[in-house]
Amino acid sequence: MVKVQPLNKLKIVKKRTNKFKRFQSDRFMRVPESWRAPRGIDGRLRRRFRGTIPQPKIGFGSNKKTRHILPNGLRKFRVYNVADLELLLMHNRKYSAEIAHNVSTRKRAAIIARAEQLNVSVSNRNAKLREEEDE
C-alpha cells in the first residue's frame, strides 16, 4: 500500500516551543510548573512589570493554516468504529484517523484492516495491539 501524502504539506512554524512556567514555581516546591494565570491584587506579574517571566499572549498563537496539523501534514479525525472510517474515504489526503482510547482490541484490528483498504493513515495504529503467541 502506498503511503498517504498530504495534498499540500506546509512547514509548521512554532513561535515558542518551551512551556510557560508558573510564577514562583522555581521558589516553592508546593507551586507546580504548569501555567496558571496570576490573580493577586498587587502581583507584579499580573501588572506586567519589567523583569518578570514571560506570559502567554495571543501573539504566540500558531498560524491558522498549520494549527492542529500532525507532523505528517494531516489533521486528526477521531474514529470509534469502521463506519466512522468510511467518512475519510474521499478525505484521506487531508485527515488521518485516530482510534479513540476506549475502542477494544478486536474493533481496533477491524478498523486498521479497513483503513489499509481505503488507504487511510492511522496515527495510533500500534496502540493496544499485542502480538499473538503461537505455542
Side-chain angles (χ1 to χ4, degrees):
M1 186 77 36
V2 180
K3 188 173 180 261
V4 182
Q5 295 293 325
L7 276 171
N8 48 354
K9 186 158 184 179
L10 299 165
K11 184 162 173 51
I12 299 169
V13 177
K14 303 274 186 193
K15 291 183 188 167
R16 185 180 166 92
T17 52
N18 47 349
K19 299 241 192 259
F20 290 100
K21 288 188 179 174
R22 188 173 173 180
F23 184 53
Q24 292 193 332
S25 66
D26 56 336
R27 294 188 64 194
F28 302 106
M29 290 293 289
R30 64 178 177 262
V31 181
E33 281 192 352
S34 58
W35 174 255
R36 296 287 185 278
R39 293 202 166 82
I41 54 171
D42 294 329
R44 41 183 220 276
L45 187 68
R46 184 190 59 79
R47 290 158 68 189
R48 300 217 166 99
F49 283 9
R50 278 191 315 179
T52 55
I53 60 170
Q55 296 185 61
K57 294 187 184 105
I58 200 70
F60 287 113
S62 300
N63 181 356
K64 215 178 220 182
K65 289 180 179 169
T66 60
R67 200 176 297 159
H68 308 300
I69 287 186
L70 298 170
N72 63 4
L74 302 170
R75 293 174 185 267
K76 278 189 208 172
F77 181 80
R78 189 165 299 135
V79 171
Y80 294 91
N81 52 39
V82 179
D84 288 349
L85 198 64
E86 305 290 334
L87 297 170
L88 297 180
L89 176 63
M90 299 298 289
H91 307 285
N92 64 343
R93 294 188 61 198
K94 183 165 182 155
Y95 292 98
S96 169
E98 181 190 58
I99 304 172
H101 80 281
N102 55 350
V103 176
S104 67
T105 308
R106 187 183 301 164
K107 265 195 185 171
R108 273 172 197 274
I111 289 170
I112 291 167
R114 185 65 180 142
E116 289 284 327
Q117 295 168 1
L118 297 175
N119 198 16
V120 173
S121 70
V122 180
S123 61
N124 57 347
R125 67 171 52 246
N126 297 326
K128 288 193 183 177
L129 287 181
R130 287 195 307 256
E131 299 292 324
E132 292 185 23
E133 297 175 14
D134 297 321
E135 292 183 37

